[in-house]
Amino acid sequence: MRSTKRQAAVLLATLMGALACGPSDGAARPAERLSAQAGAPGIGDADFPLDGNGGYDVSHYALKLGYTPAGRRLDGVATIQATAKQSLTRFNLDLKGFKVSEVSVDGAAATFSRAGHELTVAPAAPLRQGSAFTVKVAYAGVPQPVVDSSNLGRYGFIPTPDGAFVACEPNGARTWFPGNDHPADKATFDFEITVPKGVTALANGELTGKPRTSGGKTTFTWREAHPMTTYLATATVGKFQLRQGTTPGGIRNLAAVDPKFAGSLDKLYKLSAEITDHWGTVFGRYPFSSTGGVVDDFSAGYALENQTKPLYGGFEPGADIIAHELAHQWFGNSLSIKRWKDLWLNEGFATYAEWLWAEHKGTGTADASFKSFYERPANDSIWAYPPGRARADDLFNESVYSRGAMTLHALRGAIGDETFFELLKTWTSEHQYGSVTTEQFVALAERMSGKQLDALFDAWLFQPKRPTL
Ligand SMILES: [Zn+2]
C-alpha cells in the first residue's frame, strides 16, 4: 500500500479506532462463554479483535461471482475449504452487508445468523478437531465498501461507473466475500467472475481458460495457486486496455489500464517488467507466476500491492511507486505479517525498496534518503510514532513507512552491505509463502551478522523519540 500523498493523512476518530478499544487479549469473548466449542469471532489480533476468526484454517476459496455495474449488484457463491483446529459446534466468517440466502457445510444445510460483520455458521453436526470441511455461502446485494477510515479513505469492493475498484487492505475482503479476513490465514483462490460483455474482470494469478461469452455476459476464470491473504484478493472490473507478454527475465507480465490512462499502458508494462526482474536479483526469485499492474480511473489516492496485480487508483504510476508495490510481492505478499502491529515488515521494506531503486538507477542513494528524514526536527511526528508497533487507529502512519525504511538503513550500516543483502534473500527464502513477525526478523539479523542488535532495533522500532546515530 502506498498513498499518493507523501504526508500521512490527518487522523480522524474512526471505526478502526473504536475497534481498538474492544476486548483485551485475555478477556473471554461472549461466544466463548456461550459454548466452549464455538470458534472465536476473532483470530486473536488484539488490535483488531473481531478480524478473522478462530477455530479453523482456510486452505482454499472458490468464489463464483456475478457483477452488474449498472445495478451495482453482486451475486456470489463462496465455497471455502478449511480444517477445524478444534472441535466446532459453530464458527464465524467475516462478511459485511449482503443478504445471505443459504449456507451449507459438507453439503448439509447449516443454520446461520448475522451480527455486524460476523456471520455465524452452525453445521448440522459438530466438526471434529482436525477434520477438513467445506462451507458454501450464497449471498447477494450491493457491496458496501469501507468509508472514512483513518488514512485510507475508502477501500474494499468499490463500485465504479464501468465496474469496480477492488483494494482491500486491511480488512475490506469482507465487502465482497465471506472468509477469514485477517492476514494470518492465507489460502489459494479460484475466481469465476461473470460481467457484462465488453467489460474485463481482473483477479489475481492466471486465467485458467479463455473468457467465455454467452447471452451478453462474459465469464473470466482466474486462479491464484500460491497462498494469499484475503486483503490482497481482487476482482477489479471495468473497461481495460491490456498488454501481455513476458519480462526479459521470463516472468509473465500483464498490464491493464482504464482507457482514460491509455497513454500509460506501455510505460506500466515496461517498468513493471524491468523492476520485477531487478528485484529478483536483490530479493531472490520472484515468488509468483506473473507480474504486472492495473491502473483504474477511480481516484483512490493510493496504490495497493494486490498479489500479482498491483492496483493504482486513478493516477499514472511512476517508477518509485511501482518499485514499492512490486517489492511487496516479496514483503507482504509472499511473506505476510501475523499481526497488524508488524506492518513495518511490509511498508518499511517496500519504502526501502524505493530508495534502493533510486540507488540502482543512479538518481539517488539510500543514504541520502535516510539523511533527509533524519534531519527532520525532534518534534516531527515520525519520532513520536514508533514504527515497530503500528497502531490500529493509525495503521498507515508515515513512520511505519519512512522510519521503517530508516530502520533497515541503520541495520545495513551496522552489519555491512554484504550481510544485509544476504539477509534480505535469506529472509524471503526461509519464509516464502509463510507468515512472519518482527521477532523472527531480528533473530535472523542477529544470527546472520553474529551481532547483538537489540539496542538498534529497540531505538529504531520501539522508542518514541529520534534515535541517536
Ligand atoms: Zn506499501
Side-chain angles (χ1 to χ4, degrees), residues 274-317:
E274 183 190 358
I275 291 168
T276 302
D277 283 350
H278 178 65
W279 286 156
T281 70
V282 181
F283 304 142
R285 188 178 66 78
Y286 184 68
F288 304 121
S289 50
S290 64
T291 186
V294 178
V295 179
D296 203 355
D297 70 340
F298 173 73
S299 296
Y302 58 80
L304 183 64
E305 62 269 21
N306 288 340
Q307 194 152 306
T308 69
K309 287 178 189 64
L311 178 58
Y312 305 93
F315 60 95
E316 178 183 297

Side-chain angles (χ1 to χ4, degrees), residues 383-386 403 459 462-466:
W383 306 127
Y385 185 126
R403 200 170 145 187
F462 299 112
Q463 293 306 317
K465 60 179 188 222
R466 177 164 55 189

